[in-house]
Amino acid sequence: GENVGLHLPTLSVQEGDNSIINCAYSNSASDYFIWYKQESGKGPQFIIDIRSNMDKRQGQRVTVLLNKTVKHLSLQIAATQPGDSAVYFCAENLNSGGSNYKLTFGKGTLLTVNP
Amino acid sequence: KAGVTQTPRYLIKTRGQQVTLSCSPISGHRSVSWYQQTPGQGLQFLFEYFSETQRNKGNFPGRFSGRQFSNSRSEMNVSTLELGDSALYLCASSLREQGHGELFFGEGSRLTVL
């Protein structure tokens, strides 16, 4: 899961297994959440998003689950492939005053897929 | 269509110098956000510009500044560089202001301060 310390949490899975990456967000008023994937040497890439009026959303091979009670977000990747190896970030949409919002990112989780 | 373009991709500066980084958003996108990424702190929000106005600012010192031009291209400037400014600086664009949809990131400008 996410870690506020200096060390990046890691998750190592076998190719073909399902992966679950967890994230704890900070603000109960956050209304929009996004998962990003960042491969080495590249910028973050959008995977899937979810609004706070939903608790589950599915994409292609990915599912995001939102538990507002405990302020927890998870990303499930089905049939994980070597190309899924990357750092995964969750981001929450925080109100920073008035109508201003900013996306605040978690520290990230390194996913390694073993062939 | 072309993605977010950042220049330069890599640069090396020495302490005390200043640096300007450039970002060209996706065509039609009016919001440009800047983030600093370091191994210890992760992705930290610097500021967001929308229609040439700074909408939002993170917790960075005044040495960090930015601007946006009428064509939505943006620049950020860091003056009096410190060793701790070494980082990957990421630019992201979106159609609308932050909080209303996906951010599209560039590949970043990697700054090393010696």
Side-chain angles (χ1 to χ4, degrees):
Chain A
E2 293 291 335
N3 188 338
V4 296
L6 296 177
H7 301 288
L8 198 62
T10 59
L11 175 65
S12 184
V13 301
Q14 290 297 123
E15 182 178 359
D17 286 352
N18 296 333
S19 303
I20 300 177
I21 301 171
N22 297 303
C23 174
Y25 62 93
S26 62
N27 194 320
S28 57
S30 295
D31 63 355
Y32 178 56
F33 305 87
I34 307 180
W35 279 100
Y36 281 89
K37 170 188 180 184
Q38 187 175 24
E39 297 174 89
S40 182
K42 296 186 177 181
Q45 183 180 21
F46 173 90
I47 302 173
I48 191 168
D49 59 2
I50 189 168
R51 298 232 168 247
S52 58
N53 60 352
M54 303 172 70
D55 52 24
K56 180 179 179 179
R57 188 156 189 235
Q58 288 184 287
Q60 188 178 15
R61 283 201 306 120
V62 294
T63 300
V64 55
L65 298 177
L66 175 62
N67 186 330
K68 294 182 285 294
T69 303
V70 295
K71 293 189 288 185
H72 183 268
L73 198 64
S74 69
L75 177 70
Q76 300 177 0
I77 305 174
T80 315
Q81 302 167 0
D84 295 327
S85 294
V87 177
Y88 289 80
F89 295 94
C90 67
E92 63 178 303
N93 191 36
L94 272 177
N95 185 287
S96 54
S99 61
N100 289 337
Y101 290 84
K102 65 181 182 185
L103 273 180
T104 300
F105 287 79
K107 293 287 190 280
T109 296
L110 174 62
L111 174 66
T112 302
V113 182
N114 303 308
Chain B
K1 57 184 175 183
V4 177
T5 305
Q6 292 188 245
T7 56
R9 289 292 312 279
Y10 303 92
L11 67 167
I12 299 174
K13 293 284 187 178
T14 56
R15 279 180 299 175
Q17 287 187 311
Q18 67 92 27
V19 66
T20 299
L21 308 177
S22 179
C23 173
S24 293
I26 292 173
S27 178
H29 285 193
R30 295 166 64 193
S31 169
V32 172
S33 299
W34 289 90
Y35 285 83
Q36 181 195 65
Q37 186 174 31
T38 59
Q41 297 298 316
L43 276 155
Q44 300 284 310
F45 174 77
L46 280 156
F47 23 66
E48 180 198 2
Y49 288 88
F50 183 82
S51 295
E52 301 178 67
T53 302
Q54 187 181 88
R55 285 191 72 245
N56 220 336
K57 193 176 189 304
N59 297 322
F60 279 82
R63 299 186 297 108
F64 292 80
S65 62
R67 58 179 176 169
Q68 186 180 33
F69 303 96
S70 57
N71 62 358
S72 293
R73 191 177 69 84
S74 177
E75 289 181 346
M76 67 162 282
N77 184 278
V78 188
S79 62
T80 321
L81 283 165
E82 301 176 0
L83 295 179
D85 297 332
S86 295
L88 180 67
Y89 289 88
L90 289 160
C91 167
S93 77
S94 59
L95 271 171
R96 294 183 57 190
E97 308 93 311
Q98 270 213 29
H100 296 279
E102 178 185 349
L103 295 184
F104 294 82
F105 282 86
E107 306 224 309
S109 293
R110 184 164 295 281
L111 170 66
T112 301
V113 182
L114 302 176

